[in-house]
Amino acid sequence: MTIASIEDLRLLARRRLPRALFDFIDGGAQDEVTLRRNREDFSRLALVPRVLTDVSERDQSVTVFGQKLRSPLILAPTGLPGVLWPDGAAAAARAADEAGVGFCLSTMSTSSIEDIAKLSRQRTWFQVYVMRDRELTRDMMQRARDARCSALVITVDLQVQGQRDRDVRNGLTMPPRLHWSSLLEFGLHPGWLWRYATGPKPTLANFIGAGKGTDMITIAGFVNSQFDQSVTWKDIDWVRSVWDGPLALKGITSAEDAKIAVAHGIDGIIVSNHGGRQLDGSPSAISALPEIADAVQGRAQLVLDGGVRRGSDVLKALSLGAAACMIGRPFLYGLAALGGAGVSKALELLRNEIDVNLALLGRAGVEELDASAVTRVAR
Ligand SMILES: Cc1cc2nc3c(=O)[nH]c(=O)nc-3n(C[C@H](O)[C@H](O)[C@H](O)COP(=O)(O)O)c2cc1C
């Protein structure tokens, strides 16, 4: 199958993964209204090209938190990539490193902070939640600092886990278990089954050593008990006092919250609804961006996260004030379809699309993008 777009990688991932796993990455919360909005609202923005501007040399590099990225892309933090492909997080981190883009490791990853820090030349961002056990949270931050992670991301939109109907219907368990009912599904995907059965057993590697066992079921039970619904801005002040490097909050779509974040000394805001996986009905990330950019007035860097599937989406986000975009599913589809090579493919596709569309927009560099490059249309 020739891969021409992220959608092609998605279709290949759908063929190669057991249904429940594909739905785990592809799906969103409840009716998936927000998941769809993240895409649809990009199509409500049109790009306005300028002509006769000499675009013979083009530059899509950006600087985020003082770190230069060859393309304005950061792989979003995602849990359990090792279930899709053996050592999936390491494969993705390597692909990001080779492409010169950012990589944000999730606390819920199947590779540890130390493993990822060892293999990537560029420094990695680390995403964590303010967990019930503040000492454990502090310890994670210390490990991230020791591993020379270049930014800390606190995800703030997971007060509780969103309800994902597809996972409920599929009876999804982590790690995937061989039930009679799932045997046929697994049998239909022998490539995945072989890799899963023979590869390293995925587990929540960052929690090993927290004294809670090593297998995924035991650790997952512990981690679930760590989500803290009482977290407030006071806890963000505490994080700020512990972490002196660049600090970003992920999961903000309200301009008011963006202003409060700036007042609390936050360096970056990741405008995000968790890829439509948390509060269904919340606004799309791209529709929230202009108001947030307006509220923040350059006092923090903005990263758009959610719904990016084309280079043109990245250009729209940058025109509306984002310094870069995070991508979640696009790299996960690549990983599930082809391993690390699939992540590299996803990044190459987006890089080329950004380059071609930048030329067609009549801009030689992404720093030339501003609100004049986009206009709102009915569809
Ligand atoms: C399978 C999967 C696992 C995820 N795990 C995490 C996580 O551990 N922490 C986090 O902050 N966000 C997590 N996210 C959300 C992503 O970081 C990101 O916000 C989202 O994927 C962006 O939308 P997109 O997939 O349309 O690019 C996850 C998303 C997916 C699809």
Side-chain angles (χ1 to χ4, degrees):
M1 177 177 173
T2 308
I3 306 288
S5 66
I6 298 294
E7 178 59 16
D8 289 342
L9 283 174
R10 176 178 174 273
L11 295 177
L12 193 55
R14 192 169 69 178
R15 281 216 319 247
R16 298 206 161 162
L17 283 179
R19 170 75 184 264
L21 281 187
F22 177 75
D23 280 347
F24 166 65
I25 59 175
D26 192 61
Q30 295 178 349
D31 294 317
E32 303 189 338
V33 171
T34 297
L35 176 69
R36 281 191 299 278
R37 252 180 214 158
N38 274 351
R39 289 293 307 131
E40 287 164 3
D41 285 355
F42 273 115
S43 64
R44 296 204 167 87
L45 292 170
L47 288 166
V48 184
R50 302 296 305 271
V51 296
L52 303 171
T53 53
D54 185 358
V55 290
S56 52
E57 280 181 32
R58 296 184 295 282
D59 180 12
Q60 61 175 266
S61 65
V62 294
T63 302
V64 185
F65 300 149
Q67 192 179 353
K68 187 143 179 176
L69 306 179
R70 238 183 282 152
S71 295
L73 297 170
I74 299 137
L75 302 193
T78 57
L80 305 170
V83 174
L84 308 177
W85 195 275
D87 268 334
R94 254 186 239 113
D97 203 35
E98 278 160 23
V101 304
F103 178 80
C104 184
L105 182 73
S106 164
T107 321
M108 304 297 188
S109 186
T110 38
S111 293
S112 71
I113 308 171
E114 292 78 13
D115 290 343
I116 295 296
K118 254 185 261 154
L119 59 85
S120 77
R121 271 166 293 151
Q122 292 204 113
R123 288 191 281 160
T124 303
W125 297 11
F126 182 63
Q127 174 263 320
V128 71
Y129 303 93
V130 176
M131 293 176 281
R132 241 180 243 282
D133 182 343
R134 299 291 195 271
E135 277 316 303
L136 181 60
T137 313
R138 184 198 291 273
D139 183 50
M140 291 266 186
M141 290 193 268
Q142 186 58 47
R143 286 170 60 191
R145 178 177 298 106
D146 292 346
R148 296 167 45 81
C149 289
S150 57
L152 188 75
V153 172
I154 306 285
T155 295
V156 291
D157 61 359
L158 207 125
Q159 298 89 334
V160 296
Q161 173 102 4
Q163 291 175 11
R164 299 168 198 157
D165 291 5
R166 292 201 220 179
D167 293 351
V168 175
R169 276 190 218 106
N170 292 328
L172 181 74
T173 57
M174 280 298 168
R177 262 180 278 174
L178 282 175
H179 295 297
W180 284 113
S181 55
S182 53
L183 271 184
L184 178 66
E185 259 300 300
F186 287 178
L188 286 172
H189 302 89
W192 174 84
L193 186 58
W194 172 255
R195 283 188 293 275
Y196 187 74
T198 58
K201 243 205 198 103
T203 189
L204 293 167
N206 284 310
F207 290 91
I208 292 179
K212 315 290 172 197
T214 55
D215 72 291
M216 199 193 293
I217 297 178
T218 316
I219 300 182
F222 166 71
V223 171
N224 278 338
S225 73
Q226 281 298 322
F227 288 112
D228 187 345
Q229 295 149 36
S230 71
V231 175
T232 68
W233 291 103
K234 268 200 194 134
D235 299 290
I236 299 300
D237 289 338
W238 169 70
V239 171
R240 183 69 285 184
S241 71
V242 175
W243 178 265
D244 52 10
L247 176 62
L249 299 186
K250 175 171 179 284
I252 287 184
T253 48
S254 137
E256 204 47 46
D257 278 345
K259 269 192 214 159
I260 300 173
V262 169
H264 285 258
I266 297 305
D267 307 290
I269 293 171
I270 303 176
V271 180
S272 170
N273 51 38
H274 217 105
R277 296 164 76 81
Q278 287 295 103
L279 177 63
D280 196 30
S282 61
S284 67
I286 190 67
S287 71
L289 179 63
E291 260 184 56
I292 289 184
D294 197 40
V296 166
Q297 291 292 321
R299 288 171 295 163
Q301 281 198 298
L302 305 181
V303 173
L304 183 285
D305 169 75
V308 170
R309 300 293 180 271
R310 289 282 190 187
S312 52
D313 300 332
V314 177
L315 296 177
K316 289 172 186 175
L318 266 54
S319 300
L320 293 175
C325 291
M326 273 189 169
I327 51 166
R329 295 180 186 84
F331 92 84
L332 293 177
Y333 295 142
L335 182 68
L338 300 163
V343 180
S344 296
K345 185 71 191 172
L347 290 171
E348 178 201 319
L349 286 167
L350 291 172
R351 180 180 175 79
N352 289 342
E353 289 175 8
I354 291 169
D355 184 56
V356 168
N357 288 329
L358 199 55
L360 295 174
L361 255 183
R363 268 74 168 188
V366 288
E367 78 286 347
E368 291 178 20
L369 294 169
D370 58 23
S372 69
V374 288
T375 185
R376 204 159 283 280
V377 288
R379 202 61 165 91

